[in-house]
Amino acid sequence: MALNLFPKTVRFFELLNRQNAMLVEAADLLTRILEDFGKVDDACKRVNLVEVEADELCREISRQLSLTFITPIDREDIYRLNLAQEDSINLIKGIATRARLYGFTYIRFPARKMVRNLREMCAVTGEMICCLKDKTDVAAQVKQLKAIKGECEMLLGTGLAELHDTENLDMRAVVDIMKWTQVYDRIELAVERLDDLADAIEEVVLKNA
């Protein structure tokens, strides 16, 4: 049997792209939940399945990193992008889970719009990973993503103000405010984590320019 004197090449960009596709799918399912709450159970099951697949892929990327001598970019950068995407998927799953458990009778507009923006941010980070592979500039994508994040911050302020702009609250209304506050908090965390992901990709692009 012939010996292979050269280490095998692991296509890490393909793995990161596949992981990003899972991220986009999870965000798309979350968007559907907040657009049509009648399909929340089925969509949540699918989000859970995506999260399980993404967790397996995250471990596989880490395993391949430990076995591969030559990587297309620094291994710590691959690990950082891998973890940021996995964290983002987990946060999206958390939002979907809360939307299902809390049994909302209607979805507030700021939350719905923020989740749409979240889905767009996921897609933009996918474009940035492709730019990283092709060694092209990501300035346009960074500008777009920062603008989306800024809109999310304004929507968050509007949503929280709307929650507390109510008089003569009964116990049910107070509980509803607490539930929505937690949902907004989770959406904000997901937005921040995707912003971290974009910053990480931009840094790696500049490093490898």
Side-chain angles (χ1 to χ4, degrees):
M1 181 170 57
L3 291 175
N4 184 1
L5 300 179
F6 300 95
K8 70 174 182 177
T9 301
V10 178
R11 297 177 177 177
F12 283 106
F13 287 124
E14 290 185 10
L15 295 176
L16 290 172
N17 278 325
R18 192 195 313 170
Q19 188 182 41
N20 188 268
M22 294 177 179
L23 174 58
V24 171
E25 182 180 2
D28 187 57
L29 288 167
L30 178 61
T31 302
R32 294 183 194 180
I33 289 172
L34 270 66
E35 293 289 345
D36 184 359
F37 210 64
K39 299 179 180 179
V40 62
D41 289 336
D42 180 64
C44 280
K45 289 177 182 177
R46 292 177 62 189
V47 170
N48 288 336
L49 290 174
V50 171
E51 191 275 332
V52 170
E53 293 178 5
D55 184 60
E56 292 175 355
L57 180 57
C58 179
R59 291 199 301 271
E60 177 61 17
I61 293 173
S62 296
R63 190 180 75 85
Q64 292 295 340
L65 274 175
S66 68
L67 298 174
T68 304
F69 181 69
I70 299 174
T71 56
I73 56 177
D74 290 345
R75 61 183 63 248
E76 59 266 25
D77 290 329
I78 296 174
Y79 178 79
R80 182 182 177 189
L81 300 185
N82 178 34
L83 187 61
Q85 293 200 116
E86 170 67 8
D87 286 349
S88 298
I89 294 171
N90 288 335
L91 287 167
I92 289 172
K93 176 192 172 184
I95 299 167
T97 299
R98 281 163 176 75
R100 176 177 176 272
L101 291 177
Y102 290 164
F104 295 125
T105 56
Y106 73 100
I107 302 300
R108 294 178 179 271
F109 173 78
R112 184 185 295 117
K113 178 57 177 169
M114 286 179 73
V115 167
R116 290 179 194 161
N117 287 356
L118 195 66
R119 198 269 181 219
E120 188 175 356
M121 291 177 75
C122 293
V124 173
T125 60
E127 295 175 12
M128 293 178 70
I129 291 174
C130 291
C131 290
L132 175 59
K133 178 183 178 182
D134 297 335
K135 295 187 177 181
T136 56
D137 187 58
V138 295
Q141 286 82 4
V142 170
K143 182 178 180 180
Q144 180 184 1
L145 193 140
K146 296 298 182 182
I148 298 170
K149 181 190 176 187
E151 184 178 31
C152 285
E153 291 172 346
M154 289 189 292
L155 288 164
L156 177 64
T158 300
L160 293 176
E162 179 185 71
L163 285 179
H164 295 89
D165 187 24
T166 307
E167 297 181 356
N168 302 319
L169 295 176
D170 58 19
M171 183 55 65
R172 180 175 297 180
V174 171
V175 171
D176 191 63
I177 289 173
M178 293 172 63
K179 290 178 179 179
W180 273 110
T181 299
Q182 290 192 22
V183 169
Y184 278 128
D185 179 64
R186 287 287 169 170
I187 297 175
E188 182 185 20
L189 287 175
V191 169
E192 291 293 338
R193 194 60 174 126
L194 285 168
D195 185 55
D196 290 342
L197 171 60
D199 288 343
I201 299 172
E202 183 184 21
E203 289 176 16
V204 180
V205 168
L206 294 174
K207 184 194 298 187
N208 292 274

